[in-house]
Amino acid sequence: MPAPQCASCHAARAALRRPRSGQALCGACFCTAFEAEVLHTVLAGRLLPPGAVVAVGASGGKDSTVLAHVLRELAPRLGVSLRLVAVDEGISGYRDAALAAVRRQAARWDLPLTVVAYADLFGGWTMDAVARSTAGSGRSRACCTFCGVLRRRALEEGARLVGATHIVTGHNADDMAETVLMNFLRGDAGRLARGGGLGSRGEGGALPRCRPLQLASQKEVVLYAHFRRLDYFSEECVYAPEAFRGHARHLLKLLEAARPSAALDLVHSAERLALAPAARPPPPGACSRCGALASRALCQACALLDGLQRGRPRLAIGKGGGARDEEGPPPPPPSDPGSAPGPADGECGAACKERCE
Amino acid sequence: MPSAGEAWRDCFRAFYIHKFRAVLGKNRLIFPGEKVLLAWSGGPSSSSMVWQVLEGLSRDSAKRLRFVPGVVYVDGTCPVVSTRRLRRVAPRTWPYPILGSPVVMIPFCLHLEGAACGQSREDRAKTLSDVKRILQTLGFPWHVVTLEEVFALPPSVLRCSAPEPVGTVGTYKVAVDSFLQQQHTLEAEGVGDSPSSAQGEAQPSQPCTQDPQNLAEPPPAAQTEALSRLFDSVKTLTAKEELLQTLRTHLILHVARTHGYSKVMTGDSCTRLAIKLMTSLALGRGAFLAWDTGFSDERHGDVVVVRPMREHTLKEVAFYNRLFAVPSVFTPAIDTKAPEKASIHRLMEGFLLRLQAQFPSTVSTVYRTSEKLVKAPRDGCASGPRCLLCMCSLDVDTADSATAFGAQTQDFSQMQPPTPLAEAGAPTVPCRSAEVGRAPNCCQGTRPCRREDSRARVIKQLCYGCRVNMKDVPSLDPLPPYILAEAQLRSQRLSPEIQEYLLENSDDRAHASGSGAWGPPEDGGEEGQTVCDCINKNIFN
């Protein structure tokens, strides 16, 4: 059966149906519409003012590739200049191949590329070393928690190195939907209170960050990359199967089968969450060690690294209370192998209830 | 559970009852002598709740409950729980006929509930007779309403009436003290029985205050058919469940208002609320989570919904019901025996219960997070228009904003105007943007727009979550008339400068209000359609 006509230009044959609306479009019209939507998000959300120097967090994956490509197309209209910043976490067998893809992209697009490595920034700690360090406790590794925090720190450092005024990352609607589901399942009220917008304004000296692709669904990102024939690295991180996010991702897949707009509905819910003032994080100050933005005495990155250095990697994970200070209290007692890695044992009263039942 | 003799049974019972009383006592929302309607679905949680209230009112409890209860049962509704799932959370608990207790087992019906599901008349009648048998043993005034009665509801059920003045903690204390004093003097005078138990004993002589013919005959076949038609027209199970929930809420609200109840108690357990929270999140109701899952829900104004069972897990409820022979009635739900991927509600339930098996603190974590939610819109202004169906403040922005709502309403693939060729042929896919609230500009001139206009008018008055549900309802015609009537009234509300020229049509007012218990009419809310039409002709554009 021949494909219907493109609903936009009515000239070419449609090459795809948009996942959310079911509209039949040809490749060129779809890409145009996608770019127009991203432009609208940036303009309506006032994310990137003219004259900004934008550091694009490039991992070599589909989201950051599409983001960089679209911003490069829109850069003249927005009046911004782009720099690529790639982060080398030191995950062998994964990151090296991804970085190769980033280098190819930088060469093709003629954009300046800066690579920052964990090993240089964080005193020799690569993600492989972190994973080895957190592996022994019997619970799942939680190295993704480390990676996320340290990567944001690294991105900030890299952006400063290139003189950027804004940071953009390629998070799409599915990512945001998974995040809100995950935060509820883990009881992370602080992150729920902070999240939901298109980015952060950048208080306390941190660079403003935003996510122009936040309202685009993952399927559309993949379709865009397909139609623009973009070269990206598509394998999963070697530590990804152990992440809690996998549960949220699985749930989102199920929800999208029942209702195609589930991802955007979740993003809408996240935008409108209202949390009690007590649950919100305190107004940010500066880390006493590195001067970065921090809600407590030490920023999360310094706290995590501190734990690693002291041989107590779980020190700053979960709501350990006084674990942020220089002289930390003794670590929490080892918990059952089967319990959740998320909420710490003292915080969630259900830990003792399980044993009674 | 440790089996240290049989003493643990008493400990469990004390703990269970204490939790119920503590939730009520902590929140101090239910004043002594207040009329409270218990929404009983027949399922384990609400049955347990009714049982708790019954025990709490009996004379031998240490601190007697002080409110005046009534029970409502909506025929054609049931808990969204199937026997399969009950088994998962409470092994070996269901079904167990316990000697001497009226635990009722209904022959398992293959399809869905009541008329919404095609349950046969005989099954419905049998369920109803079992329900009545249990209700008669309770001793409270009871009301049985059928789901078909939504077709007779007045539009004013969708309006938020002015709430009664809510007291502070100080007022509560004063109210309790004065009530206790009153009791004391009554007993001193030798009356003997307290007012509440006197009422309870008087009840069996006056059966249900609802229309007696309701109980004798099934509802008119035309209404049953209309209900079936409505539910058949809804495309997805998710939307069906949401619609059922909405209609059920409106019915219970109507019963409460008609009979002067100021509070409604529902039997949502901790497990059920955690699932409801995650489901509401996925349905786009993030703005209203505190109302949907909190202890009290004041969105209707004069009637407040409270959830006293919210700290009991489903497992505890099942154990308690089994151990202490709490009577309940099983009726199949709208999604009983549906495959798991059928609706968001089922999916979320399955997911949470499976995750709970792996991380046993999941449900309580979600519940605890829900306690940190507040009833405040993010922007801070709560006095905007309310959703037609769920009666929460609208949570949608302008169509152009950089939000999830904005992303679904704008349509950048239609940037180029359609060529004459396109206008000749019918578009292959209807423009989805009309569904989510934008006026259907794209259809201008190509086909008659009246239907789309009336649909767009209704859609505009819905919150985000209800709009997404309505996408699965292709035509608004099978909806009960009160919804469409209220939508029309609201959209025709004219600007203040014309109010003085509007004539109050007394016939329309009689149609609009059912009984007299609706409270003062809103400004300009009572004008009929014919009046507005003739005013419209006088307005110069």
Side-chain angles (χ1 to χ4, degrees), chain B residues 216-266:
Chain B
E217 305 148 10
Q223 281 189 339
T224 310
E225 212 184 280
L227 200 61
S228 300
R229 206 174 35 236
L230 170 62
F231 278 91
D232 284 338
S233 75
V234 178
K235 289 195 280 194
T236 59
L237 190 57
T238 308
K240 274 192 236 233
E241 289 200 41
E242 284 293 294
L243 184 63
L244 181 61
Q245 190 64 40
T246 306
L247 293 178
R248 196 192 301 169
T249 308
H250 292 167
L251 256 185
I252 294 179
L253 189 61
H254 177 76
V255 170
R257 279 185 176 152
T258 318
H259 296 274
Y261 292 97
S262 50
K263 298 275 188 309
V264 172
M265 275 195 187
T266 60

Side-chain angles (χ1 to χ4, degrees), chain A residues 8 23 40 265 269 272 276, chain B residues 281 372 397 400 413 464 469:
Chain A
S8 175
Q23 223 175 14
H40 176 82
D265 295 341
S269 288
R272 299 271 169 174
Chain B
L281 205 60
K372 298 187 181 137
D397 309 295
D400 265 358
S413 46
Y464 183 99
N469 283 330

